Amino acid sequence: MTNKLSTQHKILDAAQSLFAETGFNDTSLRQITSQAEVNLASVNYHFGSKKELIQAVLQRYLVVLMPRLDQEFTRLLAAQQANNLSQVLSVFVKPLLELNKVHQNGTRIFLQLLGRGYTDVQGHLRWFFNHNYGRVLDKLVLLVQQACPDLPAGELFWRLHFSLGTVVFTMASNEALAEIAEADFNEKVDIEGVILRLLPYLSAAIAAPVSTVTPISHNAPLLAGEGR
Amino acid sequence: MTNKLSTQHKILDAAQSLFAETGFNDTSLRQITSQAEVNLASVNYHFGSKKELIQAVLQRYLVVLMPRLDQEFTRLLAAQQANNLSQVLSVFVKPLLELNKVHQNGTRIFLQLLGRGYTDVQGHLRWFFNHNYGRVLDKLVLLVQQACPDLPAGELFWRLHFSLGTVVFTMASNEALAEIAEADFNEKVDIEGVILRLLPYLSAAIAAPVSTVTPISHNAPLLAGEGR
DNA sequence: AGGTGTTTGAAATGTACGTTTGAATCACAA
DNA sequence: TTGTGATTCAAACGTACATTTCAAACACCT
């Protein structure tokens, strides 16, 4: 029964929380080592640099999540007939929630970190991610295309990025939102609640009817076929 | 015909671009004054502090946008019967695009700045915004509630924030996305094109059926009534 | 116990930041 | 032209940052 955590482990634990809350650039190594109760120099000793620490923090989750997602995508792609959109999006839920086994609140922390990776300017992170896991996401695009065969490729491109924005922004500002939600609606909302609320929202959004729109703005109605 | 721009104007112009691209905390006054070709001390002389500069940058757009939105919301609220969701969301288009009169690319820059206000940790901005413009957004919530009477208030809160994320993230990465879209799909997409693509996506998303979900994760299907 | 390679510690390095200072320069009315 | 308040300027202030250094402490094997 060893309660002793290694220095590296203590650094990673402190770093992930602070990075998720404050962002990568706005979290100093001094804050991290102070919260982790280790010496300032130990970050550079164990990880080399702050950049590499950021990657190590993310990698702890990615090495668990991405093979699981890849496996699920491959399973769905092998199905006899195309899966509908809800089925495709639903495969994210279990792998994401299993990140809570990696660390307490792992799911929330990972998704916040993912959001930070996009909103903070971290060129090395984008490269790191695409290089290691780009081919997994290609399978997702294929699955969504099969689920929405009537959606033009250009429209699908935009809608997937809209959806990425929804998820990333929600997670990056998760704390603030959850606080407001609890104060205003007496709803205790955990990360699982947010994910489950996202699914029907994204399903409906991605599969929305394509608008026949007047590209140059007039006083004409802007959308067609949209009456609720 | 005076081409001479005031120091304050030059500072605001340089600051808004840099803030939008790099975020508030990661943009230094030295970068701003260097790009504006003014003296470092002039920021503190004209605006007092970096915080107040950030607010001044946003205020240039907010004083134009918010009264326009308020006016539109009030008009819709006076209607005999409830407006549908597309009608409500459509009123954003013209006021947003008119920000291009405030400054070149004003619409994109403003929406990027708005996103930074949420993802960067800027407590003073949240207070500043809610204090000055909170009551305008209350009208929007009311309109959406009227358009979607079956949507519980808590669900609506989350979906409006999901939607804010969609818009803000899309604008933040707008340049990169537009380039890819043009290269891959031969589609020339400007900010107006993106906004018009967003409308049907957001309409469908906000009005999506509320999921009857199994709150604790089992192997049961996660969504109901969602077949495409 | 002694020796060796690993890890920790306190201190310092150099750089960048927001802000302040006080003199120099400007615009312009008297 | 002279005087005055507004603006600009170069320089400096104090603080915080990531990273480096090197001696001290530690762990572990023979």
Side-chain angles (χ1 to χ4, degrees):
Chain A
M1 183 74 161
T2 155
N3 269 351
K4 181 70 161 48
L5 289 178
S6 72
T7 298
Q8 305 178 37
H9 198 114
K10 287 193 285 186
I11 292 173
L12 288 174
D13 286 357
Q16 65 174 3
S17 305
L18 290 167
F19 282 153
E21 278 172 34
T22 326
F24 298 118
N25 294 332
D26 293 348
T27 301
S28 71
L29 295 186
R30 284 170 170 81
Q31 290 176 267
I32 293 170
T33 54
S34 163
Q35 180 161 122
E37 296 181 291
V38 300
N39 188 271
L40 169 63
S42 55
V43 169
N44 290 285
Y45 176 77
H46 286 289
F47 296 95
S49 68
K50 188 178 176 181
K51 269 188 190 179
E52 288 163 286
L53 172 62
I54 292 172
Q55 293 177 12
V57 164
L58 278 170
Q59 193 71 309
R60 247 201 321 186
Y61 294 99
L62 289 172
V63 296
V64 174
L65 177 69
M66 295 311 282
R68 282 282 279 122
L69 283 182
D70 193 45
Q71 169 190 336
E72 297 286 339
F73 292 158
T74 305
R75 186 173 59 76
L76 284 194
L77 280 173
Q80 294 282 6
Q81 57 198 16
N83 310 273
N84 71 39
L85 193 50
S86 291
Q87 289 173 315
V88 174
L89 296 184
S90 293
V91 305
F92 278 93
V93 178
K94 279 183 68 178
L96 278 176
L97 290 179
E98 278 175 8
L99 295 183
N100 283 324
K101 294 176 186 166
V102 175
H103 194 275
Q104 193 178 12
N105 295 321
T107 305
R108 175 180 57 78
I109 290 172
F110 168 74
L111 286 172
Q112 286 183 255
L113 292 171
L114 189 66
R116 294 293 180 187
Y118 273 86
T119 55
D120 296 14
V121 184
Q122 297 284 339
H124 66 103
L125 266 191
R126 218 174 297 241
W127 184 92
F128 172 78
F129 187 78
N130 284 334
H131 180 260
N132 289 306
Y133 303 110
R135 59 172 204 82
V136 178
L137 293 193
D138 291 343
K139 294 185 184 175
L140 172 65
V141 174
L142 202 60
L143 283 166
V144 176
Q145 256 164 350
Q146 291 177 0
C148 308
D150 299 335
L151 210 56
E155 199 67 37
L156 184 121
F157 165 85
W158 281 101
R159 291 188 177 182
L160 285 181
H161 277 92
F162 293 165
S163 303
L164 179 62
T166 309
V167 175
V168 156
F169 177 87
T170 300
M171 297 308 159
S173 44
N174 179 269
E175 276 172 294
L177 292 186
E179 277 172 28
I180 301 170
E182 198 171 347
D184 287 9
F185 305 106
N186 259 20
E187 295 188 43
K188 183 73 190 153
V189 181
D190 57 2
I191 192 69
E192 182 173 355
V194 176
I195 292 176
L196 293 178
R197 279 165 199 270
L198 275 167
L199 284 180
Y201 178 97
L202 293 177
S203 288
I206 295 173
V210 178
S211 88
T212 61
V213 67
T214 66
I216 302 164
S217 53
H218 291 97
N219 285 339
L222 285 155
L223 297 176
E226 273 291 311
R228 77 165 244 99
Chain B
M1 181 73 156
T2 156
N3 270 347
K4 180 73 163 45
L5 289 177
S6 73
T7 299
Q8 306 178 36
H9 198 113
K10 286 192 285 184
I11 292 173
L12 287 173
D13 285 357
Q16 65 174 3
S17 305
L18 289 167
F19 283 154
E21 279 171 33
T22 326
F24 299 117
N25 294 331
D26 293 349
T27 300
S28 70
L29 296 185
R30 283 170 172 82
Q31 289 176 266
I32 293 170
T33 53
S34 162
Q35 180 161 121
E37 296 180 292
V38 301
N39 188 273
L40 170 61
S42 56
V43 169
N44 289 285
Y45 176 76
H46 285 289
F47 297 94
S49 68
K50 188 179 177 181
K51 270 187 187 179
E52 289 163 285
L53 172 61
I54 293 172
Q55 293 177 12
V57 164
L58 278 169
Q59 193 71 310
R60 247 201 322 184
Y61 294 99
L62 289 172
V63 295
V64 175
L65 177 69
M66 296 310 283
R68 281 282 278 121
L69 283 182
D70 192 44
Q71 169 190 336
E72 297 286 338
F73 292 158
T74 305
R75 187 174 57 78
L76 284 194
L77 280 173
Q80 295 281 9
Q81 56 198 16
N83 309 274
N84 71 39
L85 192 51
S86 292
Q87 289 173 316
V88 174
L89 296 185
S90 294
V91 305
F92 277 94
V93 177
K94 280 181 69 176
L96 278 177
L97 289 178
E98 277 174 8
L99 296 184
N100 284 325
K101 295 176 187 168
V102 175
H103 195 274
Q104 193 177 13
N105 295 320
T107 305
R108 175 179 58 77
I109 290 173
F110 168 74
L111 288 171
Q112 287 183 249
L113 292 172
L114 189 66
R116 294 293 180 188
Y118 273 86
T119 56
D120 297 14
V121 186
Q122 297 283 340
H124 67 103
L125 265 191
R126 216 175 303 240
W127 183 92
F128 172 78
F129 187 78
N130 284 334
H131 180 261
N132 288 307
Y133 303 110
R135 59 171 204 81
V136 178
L137 292 194
D138 290 344
K139 294 186 185 174
L140 171 66
V141 173
L142 202 60
L143 282 166
V144 176
Q145 258 165 349
Q146 290 176 359
C148 309
D150 299 334
L151 210 56
E155 198 68 37
L156 186 124
F157 165 84
W158 282 101
R159 290 188 179 183
L160 286 181
H161 277 93
F162 293 164
S163 302
L164 178 63
T166 310
V167 175
V168 154
F169 177 88
T170 300
M171 296 309 157
S173 41
N174 176 52
E175 282 169 286
L177 291 185
E179 279 172 26
I180 301 171
E182 197 169 349
D184 288 9
F185 307 107
N186 260 19
E187 297 186 44
K188 183 77 188 147
V189 182
D190 58 1
I191 191 79
E192 182 173 355
V194 175
I195 290 178
L196 293 178
R197 277 168 198 270
L198 275 167
L199 285 180
Y201 177 98
L202 293 177
S203 287
I206 294 173
V210 178
S211 89
T212 63
V213 67
T214 66
I216 301 164
S217 52
H218 291 100
N219 285 341
L222 285 155
L223 297 176
E226 272 291 311
R228 74 167 250 99

